[in-house]
Amino acid sequence: MSDRTPDPAAVFGALPAPYVLLTPDFTIVLASDAFLRANGWQREQLIGRDVFAVFAALPTDPQANARTMANLHASLARVLDTRAPDEMAVQRYDIPLPGQPGLFQQKYWSAVNSPVLDDAGNVAYIVHYVKDVTARMRGTARRDALRSLADAWRDVRAPREIVRTALEILGEVLGVSRVSFGRYNDATDTLYVGPDWCTPGIPSLEGTVHLREFGSFVDEMLRGEAVVVHDVAQDPRTAAHAGPFRRHHAQSFVDIPVIEQGRLKSILVVSDTVPRQWAGEDVTLMREFAERIRTASERARSMEALATSEAKFRSITNAMPQMVWSTLPDGWHDYFNAQWYDYTGMPPGSTDGVRWNEMFHPDDRERAWAAWQHSLDTGDVYEIQYRLRHRSGEYRWTLGRALPVRDDTGRIIRWMGTCTDIHSQKLAEDALREAAARKDEFLAMLAHELRNPLAPIGTAAQLLQGGLADEKTRIAASNIISRQVRHMAHLVDDLLDVSRVTRGLVQLNMADLDLAEVVASAVEQALPLIDERRHALDLDLPDIPARVHGDRTRLVQVIANLLNNAAKYTPHGGRIALHLDVVDSHARVTVRDNGNGIAPTLLPHIFDLFIQGERNPDRAQGGLGLGLTLVKSITMLHDGFVTAHSDGPGRGSEFAIHLPLLEGVPAAAHAPAETRRPAARALRLLVVEDNPDAAGVLAELLRSEGHDVAVAEDAEAALRRADLAATDAFILDIGLPGMDGYTLARHLRADPATAGATLIALTGYGQPSDRAQSHAAGFNRHLVKPADPAELLLALQAV
């Protein structure tokens, strides 16, 4: 072995890693060749100098250098204090580029400071070891930057903020002075710079920049090439324009073009205030940021436009009176307008998805869901009527309708639908259908009621026609015909009566009445039917008069209708009670029975036209279902009201009419009914009737009273008769062939020979307008077929 002592400086200099040896006062005494190569320094520039004096100046980023120096000083102080090694965090320290004065290369270093102790245990030297970790840091910085960008964008929605946030992150990672992003206008060859990021003291470029003022490098970007300039004063593309660059505080820059569909659309500009050697990794990171900025900002602009469009859409739909809704292509409900929530009373969002189906009436849900699924499967228009729950809790009929929205390829991208409240319309339609059904039932009932009396009339007529009937049979047949004709006349009168009353055309003969006398007359009319069905009738009348103002005939009709109704719908041997009393300011007539009762579903409609309780096929009760309608209508004409009550089928019913009392006015006396007297003398009569049977029967009736009767089948035949002047009275039909009865009457009145004769209209036309016409034509009396023979004979007694 050699006893030569190695040269410490030579040994330290030959170390393969970058080392520097410092004294406790931080003077550099040794440096390895590897350290000199890593930093580009010469040994004579370092040895004997204070480490902070050597490395204090960093033109590229003085602030970053100051932080690095402060961190180094703190670490060396800890070594002196603890006499233990101290590892520093990664520090940035840029180094000059060899052979390129003024250009710097960005570098990151990992450093460890270790003490060298003397025999007394004191720190004699400090070994400063550094390692170039730039490549690792650039990869880490790139990943961190992209991660930071994703995190920052998570809560950012505005396009301007998206761009500004990205530029800030990129500028801080690269350690540059300015980062800008702008839209390129190929028509003007300008760049409109939006928000940019700048270090303190560096002005913003926001606004319009004319690129040709800075050189011809824009042509490279038009081809999609990045423009990388390390020093604007040295690069041939920019050297002639160094002045404009200096005015904009840019000594080096990188322009990253963003190409869309083959055309330059945007440019990312990264610049620094000093010449700089841009690393390939940096340019790659810039490209990544530029593309992400374009994508994110475009998406944000689209979302912003969509939000604006949606805001307009919501404003429009909220202004509509209808409920509007929208779904995704698969039918998922994601929008309802304000009217939906106002109508249903549901909280916003509570009916999204498939929960809308819960708003339907349980009986309609399956049907509505099936129709909706069919539309989703086929693309057919969705249209259905269902009951939708209103905020009041009521289920209201609604029309639901939806159309598919398709893109240019025909693919469904959305469904747009409406809900329209059609409850009133639906109820009206149901009422019309119910009324139509009632009308059909009524017509069938009317046909039945009219055929019933026609059958015995026809049979009786055949008995009389044969000539073989004895006197008893003839009288019985005549009675049958008379009864059935009266029954048919009663049916027709009811029809005409209800028409006049319900249309408000009836004229009331008002007088002051004692309602007890009206009740007595009504009982007298209804008693035959009550006795026929063997009912017991209980009357309860007050001791004092119950006086009202009304039409006696009509009020008798009202009370008689209630009694007849009770008699019809109470099984044989039942009990009927009529009670007259005074309640507050009204007289009340109550008719109660223990009969069939009224079903709950029928009770609200019991006073409607043509409504009747359930009947057996034999229709033993008879009638057309008009009685209660007349009861209500006539009572209302007297400023009264009527009520109905029943505990249900088989439990009887109770009807009551309430009429305003007339206080302090005595009831009017009633004139005795007119009675027919025997004819005072025989009259010469002419019957003009185109129905031979009607004319013949009427002529025979009048002849049986001792009158001289002639018959003409039409007006012309009547006017041709030679004995017109001797005729005392003319009994004319109105609906004659050719010249009608009104015209014939006017002829007779115009002829002096017949001007003073009595004219009696005997017609099937009985409306008030018909009576007015007959009066204007000169008729003395107007009788409606089939007229009561007694009424006709009374009219003739006045001739």
Side-chain angles (χ1 to χ4, degrees):
M1 296 182 58
S2 173
D3 58 356
R4 291 182 58 187
T5 301
D7 182 359
V11 173
F12 197 86
L15 292 175
Y19 285 98
V20 173
L21 186 66
L22 306 175
T23 63
D25 62 356
F26 310 139
T27 300
I28 302 173
V29 294
L30 292 175
S32 69
D33 294 341
F35 183 87
L36 298 176
R37 289 193 300 270
N39 289 276
W41 292 87
Q42 300 296 321
R43 185 170 274 108
E44 57 271 18
Q45 294 175 300
L46 302 179
I47 302 304
R49 298 184 63 189
D50 184 276
V51 66
F52 296 105
V54 174
F55 297 104
L58 184 61
T60 57
D61 192 344
Q63 291 182 344
N65 183 64
R67 288 193 299 271
T68 299
M69 293 300 100
N71 292 337
L72 175 60
H73 189 279
S75 177
L76 295 174
R78 283 193 295 271
V79 171
L80 292 174
D81 184 52
T82 63
R83 291 174 292 179
D86 185 79
E87 184 175 357
M88 296 178 62
V90 174
Q91 305 293 316
R92 176 188 169 187
Y93 187 82
D94 297 347
I95 62 174
L97 281 172
Q100 300 185 50
L103 289 182
F104 288 82
Q105 185 178 12
Q106 191 180 78
K107 287 288 186 175
Y108 290 90
W109 309 90
S110 173
V112 177
N113 297 306
S114 301
V116 178
L117 304 178
D118 60 15
D119 294 339
N122 297 315
V123 177
Y125 298 97
I126 300 175
V127 178
H128 177 67
Y129 164 74
V130 293
K131 181 180 179 181
D132 186 351
V133 293
T134 302
R136 174 170 65 84
M137 286 303 298
R138 280 178 174 160
T140 301
R142 181 176 177 179
R143 289 192 299 272
D144 290 346
L146 295 176
R147 187 180 302 112
S148 298
L149 184 63
D151 292 341
W153 278 351
R154 186 173 293 116
D155 298 322
V156 177
R157 294 292 181 268
R160 183 179 178 89
E161 282 302 303
I162 285 176
V163 174
R164 195 201 65 78
T165 302
L167 300 183
E168 180 180 0
I169 292 173
L170 182 61
E172 290 180 348
V173 169
L174 295 178
V176 296
S177 59
R178 183 194 293 120
V179 186
S180 306
F181 190 83
R183 299 287 295 179
Y184 175 71
N185 187 330
D186 55 359
T188 60
D189 210 16
T190 57
L191 181 71
Y192 177 78
V193 179
D196 58 4
W197 175 86
C198 307
T199 57
I202 303 300
S204 170
L205 284 181
E206 185 167 358
T208 301
V209 178
H210 294 274
L211 295 177
R212 297 288 176 181
E213 294 180 3
F214 298 87
S216 60
F217 54 85
V218 65
D219 296 325
E220 298 177 41
M221 289 188 288
L222 290 172
R223 297 192 297 269
E225 301 172 7
V227 178
V228 181
V229 175
H230 306 294
D231 187 344
V232 297
Q234 302 297 324
D235 195 291
R237 296 168 295 183
T238 60
H241 304 275
F245 279 107
R246 281 195 296 272
R247 287 195 299 272
H248 286 85
H249 303 270
Q251 193 65 34
S252 59
F253 70 90
V254 178
D255 285 351
I256 303 296
V258 178
I259 305 298
E260 297 179 25
Q261 298 180 344
R263 299 177 62 183
L264 178 62
K265 291 294 183 182
S266 303
I267 301 174
L268 174 67
V269 182
V270 179
S271 63
D272 211 342
T273 56
V274 294
R276 177 166 177 163
Q277 182 69 29
W278 301 102
E281 296 90 342
D282 294 339
V283 176
T284 300
L285 183 62
M286 295 178 199
R287 286 186 181 277
E288 182 70 24
F289 263 70
E291 185 60 31
R292 294 198 180 195
I293 290 172
R294 181 194 70 81
T295 303
S297 60
E298 286 298 324
R299 184 188 307 116
R301 274 191 288 270
S302 298
M303 292 176 65
E304 196 173 63
L306 179 61
T308 301
S309 176
E310 286 185 350
K312 291 180 180 178
F313 168 76
R314 291 172 186 270
S315 297
I316 293 172
T317 58
N318 287 334
M320 296 174 64
Q322 290 175 300
M323 293 170 273
V324 180
W325 49 271
S326 178
T327 80
L328 299 177
D330 61 358
W332 181 270
H333 285 64
D334 61 351
Y335 172 73
F336 294 91
N337 71 342
Q339 275 70 18
W340 167 270
Y341 294 114
D342 180 64
Y343 185 89
T344 62
M346 298 297 290
S350 61
T351 54
D352 288 354
V354 297
R355 287 175 291 179
W356 55 273
N357 201 42
E358 299 173 6
M359 300 300 299
F360 297 164
H361 191 284
D363 294 344
D364 297 338
R365 291 175 187 172
E366 184 176 350
R367 179 173 57 88
W369 183 260
W372 178 232
Q373 193 61 52
H374 170 78
S375 295
L376 294 178
D377 294 340
T378 63
D380 292 344
V381 172
Y382 173 72
E383 185 167 330
I384 188 174
Q385 295 182 6
Y386 46 68
R387 286 161 290 181
L388 184 67
R389 190 170 71 236
H390 187 257
R391 63 176 178 272
S392 64
E394 174 191 13
Y395 283 98
R396 296 180 62 85
W397 279 104
T398 305
L399 171 64
R401 198 167 191 273
L403 296 173
V405 180
R406 301 178 184 272
D407 61 14
D408 294 339
T409 66
R411 181 174 59 92
I412 295 176
I413 58 175
R414 184 159 282 278
W415 286 84
M416 294 300 302
T418 60
C419 295
T420 306
D421 188 315
I422 58 169
H423 195 68
S424 298
Q425 174 187 336
K426 183 74 171 178
L427 295 183
E429 290 175 356
D430 291 345
L432 286 174
R433 279 193 293 270
E434 184 179 347
R438 263 195 254 152
K439 179 197 70 176
D440 293 341
E441 181 182 351
F442 167 73
L443 291 175
M445 186 194 317
L446 177 61
H448 181 278
E449 290 296 321
L450 291 177
R451 287 192 186 101
N452 274 351
L454 288 176
I457 288 174
T459 302
Q462 287 182 354
L463 287 174
L464 296 175
Q465 191 177 26
L468 300 177
D470 56 18
E471 183 65 15
K472 181 179 180 181
T473 302
R474 185 184 66 78
I475 294 173
S478 299
N479 290 337
I480 289 172
I481 292 173
S482 298
R483 283 197 305 272
Q484 297 305 320
V485 168
R486 284 196 301 272
H487 177 64
M488 293 181 68
H490 179 70
L491 294 177
V492 175
D493 286 343
D494 276 353
L495 283 172
L496 296 175
D497 209 14
V498 77
S499 174
R500 288 192 295 269
V501 170
T502 55
R503 288 187 298 151
L505 300 179
V506 67
Q507 293 183 346
L508 299 178
N509 297 318
M510 303 296 285
D512 298 338
L513 308 171
D514 183 351
L515 200 53
E517 295 181 5
V518 176
V519 169
S521 296
V523 170
E524 183 180 353
Q525 284 191 14
L527 202 55
L529 179 59
I530 294 173
D531 291 341
E532 177 187 338
R533 297 180 67 82
R534 301 191 300 278
H535 296 317
L537 176 62
D538 299 329
L539 292 178
D540 182 12
L541 304 179
D543 295 332
I544 59 173
R547 289 173 293 184
V548 298
H549 190 64
D551 185 316
R552 186 179 191 281
T553 302
R554 290 297 184 179
L555 292 179
V556 168
Q557 180 184 8
V558 165
I559 299 171
N561 278 353
L562 291 180
L563 289 170
N564 286 333
N565 216 53
K568 288 178 183 179
Y569 289 95
T570 299
H572 285 68
R575 180 170 292 280
I576 301 172
L578 186 150
H579 179 66
L580 171 60
D581 62 350
V582 173
V583 180
D584 296 331
S585 60
H586 283 73
R588 179 177 62 182
V589 179
T590 305
V591 176
R592 186 183 302 108
D593 63 66
N594 61 349
N596 297 345
I598 306 171
T601 55
L602 178 62
L603 192 59
H605 309 288
I606 197 65
F607 294 106
D608 294 351
L609 198 58
F610 308 141
I611 289 292
Q612 287 184 309
E614 185 177 352
R615 292 176 171 223
N616 296 325
D618 63 0
R619 292 188 46 81
Q621 295 94 335
L624 299 175
L626 305 175
L628 290 179
T629 302
L630 284 170
V631 167
K632 179 179 179 181
S633 299
I634 294 172
T635 302
M636 291 177 65
L637 288 176
H638 285 77
D639 296 325
F641 61 95
V642 60
T643 60
H645 172 76
S646 175
D647 291 329
R651 306 186 67 178
S653 57
E654 177 183 291
F655 291 86
I657 62 168
H658 302 251
L659 299 170
L661 282 173
L662 182 66
E663 294 293 339
V665 180
H670 302 293
E674 187 178 7
T675 58
R676 183 170 66 91
R677 303 183 302 274
R681 66 180 179 88
L683 302 175
R684 184 180 293 275
L685 308 175
L686 176 60
V687 175
V688 184
E689 170 65 66
D690 63 329
N691 186 319
D693 292 339
V697 172
L698 179 58
E700 288 303 321
L701 173 65
L702 297 174
R703 290 182 186 123
S704 68
E705 293 291 321
H707 301 299
D708 182 4
V709 184
V711 176
E713 62 183 10
D714 55 38
E716 287 79 6
L719 292 174
R720 288 196 299 269
R721 291 186 62 86
D723 57 350
L724 289 180
T727 303
D728 297 304
F730 294 84
I731 302 172
L732 310 180
D733 186 15
I734 298 299
L736 296 171
M739 183 188 301
D740 62 22
Y742 299 133
T743 306
L744 175 55
R746 284 195 277 280
H747 277 286
L748 294 174
R749 287 291 182 224
D751 187 345
T754 56
T758 296
L759 304 184
I760 299 174
L762 183 60
T763 176
Y765 298 108
Q767 297 299 313
S769 59
D770 302 321
R771 296 179 183 274
Q773 287 190 66
S774 66
H775 178 74
F779 282 98
N780 299 97
R781 296 291 297 272
H782 186 108
L783 304 179
V784 180
K785 293 179 181 179
D788 186 346
E791 187 178 5
L792 175 59
L793 295 176
L794 282 172
L796 292 175
Q797 286 181 0
V799 177

